[in-house]
Amino acid sequence: MSSEWPLWEVFIRGQHGLNHRHVGSLHAPDAEMAIHNARDVYTRRNEGVSIWVVRSTDITASTPSEKGPLFDPANSKVYRHPTFFDVPDEVGHM
Amino acid sequence: MYAQMVKTDGTRVKSLDDMEPEERAFQQRIEAGQKIEPKEWMPEAYRKTLVRQISQHAHSEIVGQLPEGNWITRAPTLERKAILLAKVQDEAGHGLYLYCAAETLGISRDEMYEQLHSGKAKYSSIFNYPTLSWADIGAIGWLVDGAAIMNQVPLQRCSYGPYARAMVRICKEESFHQRQGFDILAKMVKGTPAQKAMVQDALDRWWWPSLMMFGPSDDASVHSAQSMAWKIKQNSNDELRQKFVDQTVPQADYLGLTVPDPELKWNETKGGYDFGEPDWKEFFEVIAGNGLCNAERLGARRKAWDDGAWFREGLLAHAAKAEARRTTAPAAAE
């Protein structure tokens, strides 16, 4: 059996009402220690107001090599962007 | 540098025409300035080179705590002690960011520790010199961290995403390290003649090892050319060394110190200093394990790892027990 502590992914909410954001990872024996370690490793200069930790093995990621087919449905739908539509100058800001 | 003389496995740098389509697409992405991310296809040699470089860099951060740790209990004031503690804690953090970046390439943390402890993996030559006086702590911050910044700033643009992102965090914190070192020396040179002499002595001992940190000239090195083609490396060792000398000599002048190099001279036409050649024989001896403190540094690392085994196992056993209790606890036990 490997005696290595499991790997955790760390997410931090910055000061300004932002989403939690991935900042890196670390090893810890359990979730509580992972939070403590994350505080020491990733918030030594007040970088956050809240921490999430998630076991790395619990993350399901999309496959980079399949990014073509995965994101393909959005490619042909440029009308989802407001700049697709011309607004006559006379109309002003919309 | 913190990573010195990293090998790349190749014998020459391939041209785009020599490459299979997969590798050509990879190389073109690098040349377009795109970042490579962990699960994406990459040449095996690129992966291995990065593992070597990032793990060596991480080991340097970790071993780099030892020469400074020597002075935590002897810092001249409580404030200096708190500052030094914070700096050494940063070095631990930098090591951890970098180990995590290396782990995304498929090597485990324990494997990397094993490589360090067995002597298979290297760390920077600079940490095999002793810290004899408090002025050495100033000299390390000013010179060693100054040289490290020179190398780490361009690494923020490295082609491998996790390494580049770790470098962004590190660079933000590193500037505090250099300034605290300079501040120690700036105070001491205004002190007694004995204190000023300590500063000059520290510069005399740390100047050449600091220049060696950049590694020998690599203009003719195939490993260096390959690392540059992969954008793992952006500048040659000589370029960075020149920049470091040009930046540091005026600071030494400000402190009223003499740089221990009789060949040092301002060269108006190149707009930089001419300077002497470090003793590369000494450098290779230190790299080979024969520096003043190699045995002591590795001994301290091994001892810390072995002495901590019961603690790591204990916490893991506790976590397993708590988890078992949580999953098998009866729902209603009244």
Side-chain angles (χ1 to χ4, degrees), chain A residues 1-7 23-27 29-30 33 40-45 47 61-62 64 67, chain B residues 39-40 89-90 93-94 96-97 100 103 108-111 169 173 176-177 311-313 315-316 318-319:
Chain A
M1 191 198 96
S2 162
S3 60
E4 198 171 278
W5 287 348
L7 192 64
V23 292
S25 47
L26 51 76
H27 289 270
D30 57 29
M33 286 294 294
D40 290 343
V41 179
Y42 293 106
T43 65
R44 287 192 302 280
R45 288 170 176 79
E47 286 95 336
S62 64
K67 79 168 180 255
Chain B
K39 285 184 175 170
E40 295 170 345
Q89 196 187 9
D90 272 355
H94 297 178
L96 294 178
Y97 307 154
C100 287
E103 283 175 86
S108 76
R109 183 73 61 92
D110 281 3
E111 276 174 84
R169 296 188 71 88
E173 300 178 350
F176 143 59
H177 298 182
F311 179 75
R312 294 191 300 276
E313 284 159 20
L315 283 184
L316 206 54
H318 172 75

Side-chain angles (χ1 to χ4, degrees), chain B residues 168-187:
Chain B
V168 171
R169 296 188 71 88
I170 290 176
C171 285
K172 261 192 214 155
E173 300 178 350
E174 201 82 68
S175 152
F176 143 59
H177 298 182
Q178 191 184 15
R179 287 182 186 203
Q180 68 86 34
F182 189 78
D183 186 63
I184 288 174
L185 300 183
K187 273 269 153 53

Side-chain angles (χ1 to χ4, degrees), chain B residues 226-243:
Chain B
Q226 180 61 74
S227 284
M228 283 197 187
W230 281 332
K231 296 203 179 156
I232 291 174
K233 189 177 175 133
Q234 322 264 351
N235 310 85
S236 77
N237 295 348
D238 286 332
E239 252 177 287
L240 292 171
R241 186 168 16 248
Q242 179 72 52
K243 259 179 105 172

